[in-house]
Amino acid sequence: MAVEVIKAGGNLSPAAPAAGAAALNARIQKRLRAKGDREFVLDLQLAVPAGITILFGASGAGKTTLLDCLAGLLEPDGGRVVLNRRVLFDKVARISVPTRQRQVGYVFQDLALFPHLSVEANIRYGLAKIPVDEQRRRTAAILESLRASHLASRFPSEISGGERQRVALARALVTDPALLLLDEPLGGLDALIKSAIVDDLRAWNRAHQVAILYVTHDRGEVFALGERVLVMERGRLIAQGTPHEVLNAPRQEAVAQLAGFENIFDATVDATHEAQGTMTCRLAGTAVTLEAPLTHVAAGATVRLAVRAGDILLATSRPHDLSARNIIPGVVLSLEQRDFMITAQVDCGARFEVHLTPGARDSLQLHSGREVWLVLKTHSCQLVGPGE
Amino acid sequence: MDWQAFLLTVKLAVLVTGILLLLGLPIAYWITYSRRRWKFLVEAVVAMPLVLPPTVLGFYILLALGSKSPVGRWWESLTGHTLAFTFEALVIGSVIYSLPFTVQPLAAAFSTVDCKFVAASATLGASRLRTFLRIILPLSVSGLMTAMALTFAHTMGEFGVVLMVGGNIPGVTRTVSIDIYDQVQATNYASANQTSLVLLAISFVALSLVYALNRRVWALWPWR
């Protein structure tokens, strides 16, 4: 599956790659008047196959608005939503199926468990139309499969955050939804609990095979969960692919920023070296050159390069005999500690951000003003789009 | 103390509270969730009895119920007697007069119910009625209690509207507040004082109930 890059203003093609026919096809336009005078426009087209698809983007990208439109809680200004060949919304045909008839499971960001109902009553709430015996059986079964049977008689206020998240998930799953929308459902949980819940969710979906849209702004979660990721920015989809393809080799600056590329530079291609598979790029306004992987650009073109702060090595004397193609002298401007990570600003003519551990700082005896050499592999330099 | 007037007043207050509950729930729901542009007009009409002099309100109700009005004629053809100066007229007048005391606490309570719960209920396949009965109403219990206590207490103590539309017929339209007025007119202060004390106590109990129920820390009962 290839990464698709969408030009600003463009849309993703609705064809779902590899995974067969998409369960959900949607084209949505929605104009929202945000606080102040800024207007927010959601305008995108997406195709979601069965399985977990991550919806990734910074807060304010419109992820929740998109989910609300799919669930029918917000009415789009235009577009069409089709779920398993059933039209849920069509502006032109004036179709808008009410939320309660959409069969869309939705786990809200703040879960929205009914505070006055027990865990069991919360889960049974969505089963009102089936016989009571069957309600009991299915409630017990879903609690069991999410390992939450012991919570049945408790109230939402009496259980922990992780337990609440399991219950909210159970409440959505028990209704056998045709589409599952999860809005940062596991935010604030530690990694162990998170992966246990995700395993349970995967197990459930092996049997049910529904499309699951999982919203997050946490890069770690994208890699942990996703087979597919859709990247949103300012109401649009800007990239899709596997997490590895989209986030480790971003082709767009916005994705690069989201994916945690701290260093983004404008540069000019000085020379291309076909035989070596590299090209020499000079950072704009400096004499600093970086060897980057060869792409189809001509010498003289302007490009934009991204480098992760964690991919840069520091040395206190000029290193020799390395495979790394980029060894750049510079001076440490500042060192800042956050938790167990040191952020160093290094001036090489251009300013680089470098991440290292406190141990590395101490053994190198780093301090501001110290002369250092930055070491970068060619493939740590990512081309993220044309320069300006 | 005039027990006949007292019982009549209690009967009136219970009836009015019951009727207003049935009327107030849908009106408050509509005011909370409607997005109509002219919603403010309905809100203004509902709140009118708060600011209108009871005599003005009573005067118009009397006109509306009189034998020259369509409502009054319809009632006459149905029952054979006029509507004005009857217990029924008293009920109608009191319902209108106490309307804001039911609707406003209910609407305030409904609007504090997190709309996420309403949305969650919809995604779980619940109709609007089911969402209202199972989610909105249970989460608005204190507002419901406030509305009922205020409506009851307010109807118990009303004077102007009652006098205008009901007059002062013992056993039919003479309520405690009118009885007190009568006693004072007749310089029968001891009796007036007695009745006033009872009304004072009822108002105090009703309001205490309202504030106690709205104390979240206590949940429902102070000793739990």
Side-chain angles (χ1 to χ4, degrees), chain B residues 2-79:
Chain B
D2 184 350
W3 283 105
Q4 192 187 37
F6 182 77
L7 287 177
L8 182 93
T9 312
V10 170
K11 184 174 138 195
L12 178 72
V14 169
L15 252 174
V16 167
T17 307
I19 292 171
L20 271 179
L21 206 57
L22 292 179
L23 277 178
L25 285 172
I27 295 176
Y29 180 87
W30 187 86
I31 285 179
T32 312
Y33 292 101
S34 169
R35 292 198 193 141
R36 304 262 175 214
R37 283 177 182 207
W38 41 272
K39 186 166 94 173
F40 70 96
L41 288 176
V42 176
E43 288 180 280
V45 169
V46 168
M48 283 261 264
L50 288 177
V51 292
L52 270 187
T55 45
V56 173
L57 198 68
F59 174 68
Y60 282 116
I61 294 172
L62 191 61
L63 280 191
L65 301 183
S67 48
K68 281 182 185 154
S69 82
V71 181
R73 259 179 282 147
W74 173 77
W75 183 267
E76 243 181 283
S77 69
L78 210 68
T79 63

Side-chain angles (χ1 to χ4, degrees), chain A residues 73 99-100 104 106 108 110 112-117 125-126 128-129 171 175, chain B residues 114 116-117 119-128 130-131 134-135 138-139:
Chain A
L73 298 172
T99 301
R100 64 177 184 276
V104 171
Y106 196 156
F108 296 88
D110 52 7
L113 291 176
F114 304 130
H116 60 297
L117 298 180
Y125 189 84
K129 291 180 187 85
R171 186 176 71 172
T175 59
Chain B
D114 193 335
K116 269 283 146 74
F117 295 136
S121 175
T123 65
L124 292 168
S127 65
R128 279 185 206 180
R130 181 168 152 81
T131 302
R134 291 286 314 273
I135 305 299
L139 291 176

Side-chain angles (χ1 to χ4, degrees), chain A residues 294-309:
Chain A
L294 186 65
T295 51
H296 293 290
V297 290
T302 58
V303 292
R304 191 158 274 198
L305 291 176
V307 183
R308 253 192 245 279

Side-chain angles (χ1 to χ4, degrees), chain B residues 137-197:
Chain B
L137 208 51
L139 291 176
S140 308
V141 167
S142 67
L144 189 72
M145 295 295 169
T146 304
M148 288 174 70
L150 285 181
T151 305
F152 184 84
H154 188 243
T155 310
M156 283 292 292
E158 74 181 72
F159 177 75
V161 174
V162 168
L163 194 63
M164 293 295 283
V165 304
N168 184 5
I169 309 166
V172 181
T173 62
R174 179 189 285 181
T175 61
V176 259
S177 57
I178 290 171
D179 179 57
I180 294 167
Y181 181 74
D182 265 4
Q183 304 289 354
V184 173
Q185 291 289 299
T187 64
N188 198 349
Y189 290 129
S191 173
N193 188 20
Q194 233 177 24
T195 318
S196 298
L197 263 179

Side-chain angles (χ1 to χ4, degrees), chain A residues 45-355:
Chain A
Q45 184 160 354
L46 52 87
V48 184
I52 298 180
T53 299
I54 305 281
L55 194 59
F56 178 62
S59 48
K63 306 184 295 286
T64 301
T65 306
L66 172 61
L67 295 198
D68 285 352
C69 285
L70 293 175
L73 298 172
L74 277 179
E75 184 162 328
D77 301 324
R80 190 174 148 89
V81 178
V82 181
L83 177 61
N84 300 332
R85 293 196 208 89
R86 179 177 174 221
V87 179
L88 296 183
F89 178 79
D90 190 323
K91 181 68 183 178
V92 180
R94 298 194 176 192
I95 296 170
S96 184
V97 176
T99 301
R100 64 177 184 276
Q101 290 164 8
R102 287 197 180 198
Q103 277 191 288
V104 171
Y106 196 156
V107 176
F108 296 88
Q109 195 171 0
D110 52 7
L111 306 179
L113 291 176
F114 304 130
H116 60 297
L117 298 180
S118 69
V119 164
E120 198 200 347
N122 260 284
I123 293 171
R124 275 173 62 176
Y125 189 84
L127 298 175
K129 291 180 187 85
I130 62 175
V132 175
D133 284 355
E134 180 70 4
Q135 286 182 22
R136 288 221 182 84
R137 200 189 58 72
R138 283 169 69 168
T139 303
I142 196 75
L143 278 172
E144 168 103 42
S145 72
L146 286 172
R147 283 172 279 163
S149 302
H150 57 293
L151 305 173
S153 59
R154 301 218 227 147
F155 282 82
S157 59
E158 299 167 349
I159 61 180
S160 75
E163 290 168 338
R164 273 201 282 274
Q165 271 144 326
R166 277 179 193 281
V167 173
L169 196 58
R171 186 176 71 172
L173 295 182
V174 80
T175 59
D176 274 337
L179 168 69
L180 189 58
L181 306 173
L182 307 175
D183 194 356
E184 307 199 16
L186 306 181
L189 288 188
D190 69 56
L192 267 176
I193 298 176
K194 213 184 257 187
S195 69
I197 297 181
V198 169
D199 286 346
D200 292 340
L201 179 62
R202 277 193 209 285
W204 178 85
N205 206 33
R206 267 195 290 281
H208 292 77
Q209 290 296 318
V210 304
I212 299 175
L213 261 182
Y214 187 111
V215 165
T216 183
H217 64 251
D218 178 350
R219 201 168 63 87
E221 229 172 345
V222 177
F223 282 100
L225 280 171
E227 299 121 53
R228 279 172 302 278
V229 57
L230 304 173
V231 184
M232 273 187 84
E233 196 203 37
R234 273 181 263 134
R236 292 173 186 278
L237 282 186
I238 56 171
Q240 71 175 354
T242 68
H244 180 76
E245 289 163 345
V246 173
L247 298 187
N248 272 352
R251 307 285 182 80
Q252 276 205 315
E253 187 186 347
V255 182
Q257 276 172 353
L258 275 172
F261 283 76
E262 292 82 359
N263 299 294
I264 296 175
F265 302 105
D266 281 323
T268 319
V269 178
D270 271 2
T272 59
H273 318 290
E274 272 82 6
Q276 291 150 29
T278 65
M279 57 189 190
T280 306
C281 304
R282 190 166 39 79
L283 305 190
T286 71
V288 180
T289 60
L290 285 177
E291 294 288 301
L294 186 65
T295 51
H296 293 290
V297 290
T302 58
V303 292
R304 191 158 274 198
L305 291 176
V307 183
R308 253 192 245 279
D311 285 351
I312 303 176
L313 302 181
L314 278 183
T316 45
S317 58
R318 188 177 183 90
H320 300 281
D321 307 327
L322 283 179
S323 67
R325 306 282 301 182
N326 297 300
I327 295 168
I328 309 159
V331 176
V332 176
L333 291 175
S334 66
L335 291 164
E336 235 178 87
Q337 178 156 7
R338 201 165 3 111
D339 296 328
F340 292 108
M341 194 181 74
I342 308 288
T343 301
Q345 300 290 336
V346 180
D347 184 14
C348 307
R351 182 184 287 210
F352 281 82
E353 184 173 325
V354 182
H355 291 171

Side-chain angles (χ1 to χ4, degrees), chain B residues 110-122:
Chain B
F110 293 166
S111 65
T112 60
V113 173
D114 193 335
C115 59
K116 269 283 146 74
F117 295 136
V118 177
S121 175

